[in-house]
Amino acid sequence: MAPVIAIRDIADHVGEDVTVRGWVYNKTGKGKLAFVLLRDGTGILNCVAFKPNLDEHEFDRADKATQESSVIVTGTVRKDERAKGIPGGYELDIKTFEVLQATQDYPIGPKEHGTEFLMDNRHLWLRSSRQWAILRIRATIVATLRNWLDSNGYLLVDTPIITPAAGEETTTLFELDYFGEPAYLAQTGQLYNEANMMAFGKVYCFGPTFRAEKSKTRRHLIEFWMLEPEMAFFSLEDLMDTEEQMITAVVQRVLELHRPELELLERDVTKMESIVSPFPRISYDDAIERLKTLREQTDDPEQKELLKIEWGEDFGSPHETALTGLFDRPVFVYHYPSAVKAFYMQPVEGRPEVCRSVDLLAPEGYGEITGGSERIWDAELIDQRVSTIGISRDAYAWYLDLRRFGSVPHAGFGLGLERTVAWICGLQHVRETIPYARMLNRKYP
Ligand code: 4AD
Ligand code: MG
């Protein structure tokens, strides 16, 4: 009996008989030849049935195979430079072709479909090669981030999803009825990370986070995954060093493992190859000046309108796009106005109108992929800030404790996984970066 193999290992079996189990990705043919493109989740393999070499039924089954039928195919592996597939360069000469379930009327064909249709059929769309490529890259990004943290002295400490308090703006809270009391879905694991950091030094959490954001942009999800490291005794500069190392490690790893996927996505890899340290670091003040200059330089009236900004305002996506256009790698923007940032951010000494915050903006218009800061560690100031949130101070009693029992300067950041995946894969919209997107108008499937 031929051994069952994964398509990804095809190169190890040239000249041997093997069995591959999977689904028909596509079928073409001509006369005595039938070509079945078979996918098994690990790759795509072109399988060739040649009528004179086969029992009639075997040939017919291959020749009549419909898209997304589940099949078990046995044959001989042949090397052929021209063969398309992932990995390319191998074909299978079919000997037997068994159909487990013959699919009829598979809704997603080779023709163009609208995005809403594809999103409605997301449970099936996941099988297509672009989605396959994106989600494999996503998995590598997650693994690389976690490996980097695990091997650099960080401890994974999980944080709760149901919380009694808000970590970010109260306007984007999802409220739950927690046995008669209000509770919320976590917008961030940060506040708990701060407690965990005091117990373990350097920690991180990684999980789904929720924002009831009425934004319908290509960067916003209602449910997204965030990786959040939090470190005792870290400064803003330490934070930027760390982010830079993590991001370059991720980009390198994706380039190392996923050339075929990036090619499939038509990603311009030269843009990824230039992602090396150091990343530029500019202050918010400097960013505002640069935006003013860009605005003066443009002749496009629409652009002039879009780039309008006054000191004190937060950047919109046109501003981020214009700023990142100045660099070939991600850029750190630090010391934002305190008024546009979260309650817990440490004010800059002698200049409390700005805070020790830093956002990392990805190139090519991808915008903010991480947000972080030094945290207020003074008991009185944090108490004052907590009372402005608009949620009972009781819910934060534990958080205030952290500033009473061995408070230390500390810092942390959150990396938005989906925005990072969108940037690395070169996608227009975050909806394809997560298996099942939750958006303003979508919770199905
Ligand atoms: O800037 P944010 O809101 O920061 C925090 O939540 C901090 N508590 C993190 C921390 O310091 N531990 O979110 C961090 C990142 C953003 O830079 C962005 O990449 C992503 O999370 N993000 C979103 N991604 C998709 N959809 C949304 N609605 C997002 N909101 C934030
Ligand atoms: Mg932010």
Side-chain angles (χ1 to χ4, degrees):
M1 271 243 305
V4 175
I5 66 150
I7 293 174
R8 81 156 84 82
D9 301 326
I10 194 81
D12 302 337
H13 299 278
V14 175
E16 295 169 19
D17 280 4
V18 299
T19 295
V20 183
R21 303 183 293 199
W23 298 264
V24 175
Y25 196 54
N26 193 12
K27 211 237 79 197
T28 53
K30 193 162 78 188
K32 297 191 173 84
L33 283 165
F35 302 105
V36 174
L37 214 46
L38 182 72
R39 55 166 201 90
D40 73 344
T42 74
I44 298 182
L45 178 65
N46 194 30
C47 304
V48 185
F50 184 49
K51 196 167 183 179
N53 287 355
L54 292 176
D55 172 278
E56 190 183 327
H57 298 296
E58 301 292 348
F59 181 81
D60 275 357
R61 284 200 290 266
D63 194 39
K64 296 203 171 82
T66 51
Q67 191 192 351
E68 289 306 324
S69 290
S70 42
V71 297
I72 299 179
V73 185
T74 298
T76 315
V77 180
R78 184 162 43 77
K79 202 166 164 42
D80 181 340
E81 292 302 330
R82 297 159 306 168
K84 287 212 181 90
I86 302 174
Y90 303 91
E91 283 190 338
L92 192 79
D93 284 326
I94 298 176
K95 287 190 166 170
T96 65
F97 196 96
E98 182 190 341
V99 178
L100 294 182
Q101 196 239 330
T103 290
Q104 299 304 328
D105 306 321
Y106 187 68
I108 303 176
K111 66 170 197 294
E112 288 272 316
H113 294 285
T115 308
E116 285 308 305
F117 174 84
L118 291 169
M119 288 300 287
D120 283 340
N121 287 282
R122 184 63 173 166
H123 53 300
L124 305 175
W125 190 25
L126 289 179
R127 304 180 187 194
S128 74
S129 58
R130 270 181 62 84
Q131 304 309 312
W132 176 83
I134 295 165
L135 294 181
R136 282 166 58 87
I137 292 174
R138 174 185 167 110
T140 293
I141 292 172
V142 171
T144 311
L145 289 166
R146 295 184 58 147
N147 279 338
W148 192 91
L149 291 161
D150 293 341
S151 50
N152 281 280
Y154 292 73
L155 190 76
L156 170 72
V157 185
D158 302 312
T159 54
I161 284 178
I162 299 176
T163 77
E168 298 292 322
E169 276 171 75
T170 50
T171 52
T172 66
L173 281 171
F174 263 110
E175 193 168 330
L176 305 176
D177 174 359
Y178 196 74
F179 308 109
E181 291 203 4
Y184 310 99
L185 292 180
Q187 299 168 300
T188 170
Q190 181 196 319
L191 305 195
Y192 294 94
N193 258 351
E194 290 185 57
N196 300 341
M197 166 279 296
M198 296 261 196
F200 301 100
K202 294 199 289 186
V203 298
Y204 71 97
C205 64
F206 176 55
T209 45
F210 305 86
R211 306 270 167 104
E213 232 161 341
K214 297 244 158 72
S215 314
K216 238 180 166 177
T217 79
R218 55 199 188 86
R219 297 177 185 174
H220 283 90
L221 291 167
I222 299 297
E223 175 178 317
F224 64 98
W225 285 65
M226 187 160 37
L227 181 94
E228 299 180 83
E230 190 76 30
M231 293 71 71
F233 304 105
F234 258 47
S235 67
L236 202 66
E237 289 70 30
D238 297 330
L239 210 60
M240 291 192 258
D241 292 345
T242 305
E243 293 186 36
E244 195 172 282
Q245 287 173 38
M246 283 175 64
I247 299 285
T248 49
V250 163
V251 171
Q252 270 167 30
R253 190 73 179 143
V254 170
L255 285 170
E256 195 178 303
L257 292 184
H258 294 297
R259 294 275 173 172
E261 285 87 347
L262 292 168
E263 193 177 320
L264 210 152
L265 295 169
E266 294 169 10
R267 181 68 169 113
D268 180 353
V269 288
T270 59
K271 294 240 159 64
M272 297 321 293
E273 283 159 348
S274 60
I275 310 303
V276 288
S277 331
F279 295 168
R281 300 175 181 194
I282 64 174
S283 67
Y284 171 87
D285 294 347
D286 185 6
I288 290 288
E289 288 310 310
R290 286 172 189 252
L291 285 169
K292 290 210 162 122
T293 309
L294 285 170
R295 197 167 165 258
E296 278 159 21
Q297 283 167 352
T298 180
D299 298 325
D300 179 354
E302 197 186 341
Q303 191 66 2
K304 256 201 202 320
E305 187 58 34
L306 285 172
L307 288 183
K308 257 190 194 159
I309 190 160
E310 290 302 325
W311 194 99
E313 289 171 347
D314 203 357
F315 300 133
S317 69
H319 306 112
E320 290 186 353
T321 304
L323 276 175
T324 58
L326 299 171
F327 307 97
D328 66 345
R329 58 195 79 177
V331 51
F332 288 111
V333 180
Y334 60 89
H335 289 186
Y336 281 75
S338 304
V340 301
K341 290 293 182 190
F343 73 89
Y344 49 73
M345 295 195 181
Q346 177 74 25
V348 170
E349 219 181 309
R351 214 188 146 199
E353 69 278 14
V354 289
C355 59
R356 296 282 283 160
S357 64
V358 63
D359 282 2
L360 182 64
L361 311 182
E364 301 171 75
Y366 282 94
E368 180 193 338
I369 54 171
T370 80
S373 73
E374 286 179 11
R375 321 303 193 188
I376 293 172
W377 62 289
D378 176 73
E380 222 172 286
L381 184 56
I382 199 73
D383 204 327
Q384 214 177 300
R385 291 287 184 88
V386 161
S387 60
T388 65
I389 297 173
I391 291 179
S392 158
R393 208 175 147 278
D394 296 348
Y396 292 89
W398 65 273
Y399 186 68
L400 298 174
D401 271 355
L402 305 177
R403 273 66 176 174
R404 296 173 52 222
F405 304 118
S407 191
V408 294
H410 61 285
F413 68 93
L415 174 143
L417 180 63
E418 288 74 19
R419 290 191 190 172
T420 305
V421 176
W423 163 52
I424 289 179
C425 291
L427 308 176
Q428 279 306 305
H429 199 293
V430 288
R431 67 187 153 219
E432 289 179 57
T433 64
I434 185 163
Y436 301 96
R438 297 293 174 248
M439 298 184 293
L440 201 50
N441 60 348
R442 176 169 301 282
K443 59 181 186 313
Y444 177 92

